[in-house]
Amino acid sequence: MTAFANVTIKKKANIYFDGKVTSRTITLSDGSEKTLGIMLPGEYEFGTQKPEFMEITAGELSVQLPGFDDWVIVAAGQSFNVPGEAKFRLKVRTVTDYCCTYLD
Amino acid sequence: MTAFANVTIKKKANIYFDGKVTSRTITLSDGSEKTLGIMLPGEYEFGTQKPEFMEITAGELSVQLPGFDDWVIVAAGQSFNVPGEAKFRLKVRTVTDYCCTYLD
């Protein structure tokens, strides 16, 4: 899928880490939410509420999932899941474009 | 208006200046296009095709419009127009969130 149709998008962005991580929230026709975001190179820790499905559409990063010591490389075209109510860490190597789906 | 409804959004971002300027393209139900974008601090020159209406929803910048020597400060809640087929320059002072409408 290269585009999402019949969505509502908030006009204002979500801005984190001095703008090095930003995203746009869209609500799909079924009421579910996604964020489409950009991360610049750097190291970040995020916390989830709902479980998340993270698709990387451009760029490359390493992710350390909750409970793991290892870092896993994720590149454009790849994805990973994060449990809810958890923290995970990212080392973003190149400008990364992502689509995050919030799961119930 | 705090959100745009019934739009189609491309999954992939537009990425410029090593990710310091990024945007998302949305198509409204009337077929018109807007981009919602983020600019990090820096100096940029842009070129237009269609005329553009630029709304600044967060941040602060100075703009030098085509044919002008002066720089004009534009802050959150303000906007400016750029003619088509023209170049304009921006000095972005703080992380800036914008909505660009392409006019015919």
Side-chain angles (χ1 to χ4, degrees):
Chain A
M1 191 182 311
T2 60
F4 299 106
N6 300 316
V7 309
T8 296
I9 184 168
K10 290 184 187 170
K11 191 169 184 180
K12 293 197 80 163
N14 312 305
I15 301 176
Y16 311 100
F17 299 105
D18 293 326
K20 293 182 72 178
V21 177
T22 59
S23 70
R24 304 271 170 190
T25 303
I26 63 173
T27 306
L28 282 72
S29 53
D30 66 0
S32 64
E33 283 197 346
K34 295 179 192 285
T35 51
L36 299 173
I38 293 286
M39 297 185 286
L40 299 191
E43 297 192 26
Y44 311 103
E45 183 176 81
F46 297 97
T48 63
Q49 295 178 339
K50 293 184 177 181
E52 298 180 2
F53 175 60
M54 281 283 288
E55 297 170 82
I56 306 305
T57 50
E60 183 178 301
L61 54 79
S62 297
V63 58
Q64 187 186 45
L65 290 169
F68 288 83
D69 290 331
D70 288 347
W71 290 81
V72 178
I73 295 174
V74 186
Q78 300 182 316
S79 59
F80 58 93
N81 281 278
V82 187
E85 304 288 346
K87 290 188 186 301
F88 66 105
R89 295 167 68 195
L90 297 183
K91 293 178 184 171
V92 176
R93 298 177 184 207
T94 61
V95 179
T96 291
D97 184 10
Y98 70 87
C99 175
C100 179
T101 301
Y102 300 93
L103 308 171
D104 280 314
Chain B
M1 190 183 310
T2 61
F4 299 106
N6 299 316
V7 309
T8 296
I9 184 168
K10 290 183 186 170
K11 191 168 184 181
K12 292 196 81 163
N14 312 304
I15 300 176
Y16 311 100
F17 299 105
D18 293 326
K20 293 182 73 179
V21 178
T22 58
S23 71
R24 305 269 171 193
T25 304
I26 63 173
T27 306
L28 281 73
S29 53
D30 66 1
S32 64
E33 284 197 346
K34 295 179 192 285
T35 52
L36 298 173
I38 293 287
M39 297 185 286
L40 298 192
E43 296 191 27
Y44 311 103
E45 183 177 79
F46 297 97
T48 62
Q49 295 180 339
K50 292 183 177 182
E52 297 180 1
F53 175 60
M54 281 282 289
E55 297 171 83
I56 306 305
T57 50
E60 183 178 300
L61 54 80
S62 297
V63 58
Q64 187 186 43
L65 290 169
F68 288 84
D69 288 331
D70 287 349
W71 289 82
V72 177
I73 295 174
V74 185
Q78 301 182 316
S79 59
F80 58 93
N81 281 278
V82 187
E85 306 288 345
K87 291 187 185 301
F88 66 105
R89 296 168 67 194
L90 297 183
K91 293 178 185 172
V92 176
R93 298 176 184 207
T94 62
V95 179
T96 291
D97 184 11
Y98 71 86
C99 175
C100 179
T101 301
Y102 300 93
L103 308 171
D104 280 314

